[in-house]
Amino acid sequence: MSSTRRRVGVLALQGDFREHLAALRACEVEGVPIRLAADLEAVDALILPGGESTTMAHLMEPALKQSIQQRATAGMPVLGTCAGMILMAREIQDGRSDQESLQLMDIGVRRNAYGRQIDSFEADVTSPAIGGSAPAVFIRAPQITRQSPDVEELARHGDQAVAVRQGNRLALAFHPELTPDRRWHQYFLSFNGGTR
Amino acid sequence: MMQLGCDGIFVGSGIFKAENPSARAKAIVAATTYFDRPDILADASKSLGKAMRGLEIGAIPQEELLAGRGW
C-alpha cells in the first residue's frame, strides 16, 4: 500500500463528515464517504466523525458495524473525534440504555461531560503526537472516565485525558476537523494500516 | 433536496397526519442518508401509504386558521 494511493473512509451517516473529508483533502489524501458495509472495502483507514453518537449508532446498518469491527480487529486504523470517540468506547455513561457502541477501545466515556452547549469551549492542547500545541474545539464533549493500562494518553486538558491511543485506534474528545491545523489528521495518517 | 446539495431535511409535524407516520419517517431518513443510491431510494419509497392530505383553506373553520392567532 503506497501512501500516495491511500484512501481513508469517513462514516457519513450523520455529523461533520464533510469537514473530515475536507481535512483529508488538505492532507492530499482521498476521503471516501462510508454509508454501507460494501463502502468499507475501498478504504485503508476509517474516521468516525463528530455529531450525535446515538443517532450515528442507530443509522449504522448491522453489516456495517460488523465490517468496521472486523476490519479494526485486522488492524485498520480508526480515528474517532468527539461522538466518534463515544462510538469507539467499551462503556458509555449518560447515554440511552440501548445506546450501542462499536467497542473498539478499552475506555469508558461520559457523554456531554462538560455540560450543555453553552459550556462548549476552545483550548490549546499540547501533545508530543503533534509536536507541540494546537487549538482544540470541544463541543458538548465527552470525557474519558476509564482507560485500560495499554491505552496510551497523548494529551490532557486540565486533569482530563483528551487524546488517547490504543494500537491503531485514536480517540480525540475534541474536533481537529474544525480548525485549519491538520497535525492530528497527519498523525493519524502515519499509522500503518492492516490488510484489506 | 440532498442531490441539490442540502445538508439535511427537516421533517414537519404534518408527517403525523400521514397514513403510516412511522414507515414514512423511516423512509425519509433512509432517503436522506442514501440520497445517492437510487436502489435504496426506490426501496424506501415503497408501501408507505398516503402522505398527509392537503387541506382546502376555505374548508377550515375560522377559529382553526393560524392566521387569526397571536396578536
Side-chain angles (χ1 to χ4, degrees), chain B residues 1 7-8 10 15-16 19 21 23 28-29 37 44 55-58 60-61 69 71:
Chain B
M1 302 292 285
D7 283 340
F10 180 85
I15 191 171
F16 292 108
E19 197 175 322
I28 292 171
V29 170
R37 290 287 304 261
L55 300 173
E56 168 54 44
I57 200 157
I60 303 176
R69 296 189 199 172
W71 61 88

Side-chain angles (χ1 to χ4, degrees), chain A residues 13 18 35-36 39 59 61, chain B residues 6-7 29 33 36-37:
Chain A
L13 296 172
R18 286 184 197 192
R35 297 188 175 93
L36 297 163
D39 299 338
L59 291 177
E61 51 155 10
Chain B
C6 287
D7 283 340
V29 170
T33 307
D36 56 353
R37 290 287 304 261

Side-chain angles (χ1 to χ4, degrees), chain A residues 57-120:
Chain A
H58 185 71
L59 291 177
M60 259 188 280
E61 51 155 10
L64 176 57
K65 286 180 195 167
Q66 266 178 20
S67 295
I68 292 174
Q69 286 166 328
Q70 281 165 5
R71 290 288 308 277
T73 305
M76 174 181 71
V78 182
L79 163 66
T81 63
C82 192
M85 175 169 101
I86 299 170
L87 286 176
M88 292 172 84
R90 184 151 293 166
E91 304 116 35
I92 302 169
Q93 289 164 270
D94 294 348
R96 270 167 48 152
S97 56
D98 61 346
Q99 177 160 3
E100 285 183 39
S101 124
L102 294 168
Q103 316 238 344
L104 299 181
M105 288 183 75
D106 197 1
I107 57 173
V109 299
R110 177 176 290 123
R111 298 172 78 248
N112 303 323
Y114 291 93
R116 310 186 75 163
Q117 197 62 276
I118 196 168
D119 303 306
S120 296

Side-chain angles (χ1 to χ4, degrees), chain B residues 17-35:
Chain B
K17 300 255 185 190
E19 197 175 322
N20 189 341
S22 170
R24 187 160 292 270
K26 284 189 180 125
I28 292 171
V29 170
T32 304
T33 307
Y34 306 107
F35 68 90

Side-chain angles (χ1 to χ4, degrees), chain A residues 137-159:
Chain A
V137 181
F138 293 81
I139 303 174
R140 298 185 69 190
Q143 280 178 353
I144 298 160
T145 53
R146 182 195 68 78
Q147 63 205 68
S148 80
D150 63 332
V151 171
E152 184 188 356
E153 200 172 286
L154 297 173
R156 293 181 81 79
H157 173 70
D159 59 357

Side-chain angles (χ1 to χ4, degrees), chain A residues 25-65:
Chain A
R25 268 198 301 280
C27 296
E28 298 181 336
V29 168
E30 187 183 349
V32 182
I34 303 290
R35 297 188 175 93
L36 297 163
D39 299 338
L40 211 57
E41 289 165 20
V43 301
D44 310 297
L46 177 67
I47 296 176
L48 306 171
E52 207 292 305
S53 59
T54 321
T55 306
M56 274 193 263
H58 185 71
L59 291 177
M60 259 188 280
E61 51 155 10
L64 176 57
K65 286 180 195 167

